[in-house]
Amino acid sequence: SLECQLNDILTSSIWYKDGKKIGIIKQNEFSVFASNVCDDVYSNTPEIKSELVNRTKPSGSANSALNILLKDMVLQDGEPLLGITGFTPERGLFNILLQETKIYVEDNNVWSFKTPTDKKLNILWEYTDELFKRANKAINLSEVYNHWSNPPFGIKAGLHNFLALAYMMSRRNQIAVYRDGSYIPEINDLLVDYLIKNHKSI
């Protein structure tokens, strides 16, 4: 009964967008309308096609695979496919998060982390560069994540740690990383542990 009443209200209401009258929206047009609004508000959301981690709260198994991948990103840097053998869950994430985005690429038989060539990921990288350049103080990762979550990006929390580490790896010669106020000379597996457990310390 409640669902029917809600549906009646939605389909009989007069709708407005940006102060302009749209009028009545038919039931079969709502999803298209909502999608268009999201495209406007989150115009620079990167397209990362992983239902496992591209969500607000990934499952325990998805987080486990992602955490293994994060460790591989620092321990196996320079290795083809980050040293991953077989088609494990982390290999699937590698294909989507690092290979398809071209964040981890081969150039003259050397594998390394690069600025992504994907347009919207590249915009995210440039935006984050500017965020650090404009600041006259150290910026906590939680502040970075807050910017990434808001328009025009709207990046879900499940991707935050991955994108942060990928950004740090591709910018090692340009940024300094601190944990609890202490300079970290090398991005290593210990830093990844803190990233996973308490990103606010970075």
Side-chain angles (χ1 to χ4, degrees):
S1 177
L2 183 61
E3 188 175 346
C4 289
Q5 290 181 52
L6 176 60
N7 185 61
D8 288 342
I9 292 169
L10 290 174
T11 55
S12 62
S13 297
I14 304 297
W15 291 85
Y16 292 78
K17 182 178 182 292
D18 299 326
K20 295 179 181 178
K21 183 178 178 180
I22 296 173
I24 292 175
I25 300 176
K26 296 177 182 177
Q27 186 176 12
N28 61 350
E29 296 174 346
F30 265 108
S31 60
V32 175
F33 178 71
S35 180
N36 290 337
V37 170
C38 289
D39 285 343
D40 290 341
V41 175
Y42 297 105
S43 56
N44 287 329
T45 302
E47 292 183 18
I48 297 179
K49 299 171 183 177
S50 171
E51 294 181 3
L52 285 176
V53 293
N54 194 359
R55 53 179 58 204
T56 302
K57 192 173 182 181
S59 67
S61 58
N63 272 328
S64 177
L66 180 61
N67 292 344
I68 292 171
L69 180 64
L70 295 180
K71 287 288 184 76
D72 286 340
M73 286 169 66
V74 297
L75 294 175
Q76 304 295 333
D77 180 23
E79 292 293 320
L81 307 177
L82 293 176
I84 301 170
T85 57
F87 202 81
T88 58
E90 55 270 20
R91 171 62 189 276
L93 289 177
F94 171 89
N95 289 351
I96 295 168
L97 301 180
L98 290 168
Q99 195 169 47
E100 289 181 10
T101 59
K102 293 183 170 57
I103 292 175
Y104 189 67
V105 296
E106 179 189 12
D107 185 21
N108 292 324
N109 294 321
V110 177
W111 288 79
S112 60
F113 288 89
K114 302 286 187 182
T115 301
T117 55
D118 173 82
K119 181 180 178 182
K120 290 185 177 179
L121 275 173
N122 191 272
I123 290 172
L124 180 69
W125 254 239
E126 290 180 352
Y127 173 87
T128 308
D129 288 343
E130 289 301 315
L131 190 64
F132 288 121
K133 286 176 184 176
R134 289 195 307 267
N136 56 5
K137 60 180 179 61
I139 296 180
N140 192 280
L141 259 189
S142 59
E143 184 179 342
V144 176
Y145 289 178
N146 187 51
H147 283 280
W148 288 355
S149 297
N150 290 329
F153 300 110
I155 296 170
K156 296 191 183 291
L159 288 170
H160 286 174
N161 287 345
F162 161 71
L163 289 171
L165 185 60
Y167 176 84
M168 285 188 273
M169 295 295 285
S170 69
R171 292 288 190 265
R172 277 176 292 191
N173 298 327
Q174 297 166 255
I175 63 170
V177 181
Y178 290 78
R179 179 178 59 80
D180 293 326
S182 298
Y183 173 62
I184 304 297
E186 180 185 6
I187 300 173
N188 55 25
D189 57 329
L190 182 59
L191 181 70
V192 173
D193 284 334
Y194 281 96
L195 179 68
I196 294 168
K197 294 172 184 174
N198 180 22
H199 68 265
K200 294 179 181 178
S201 67
I202 301 172

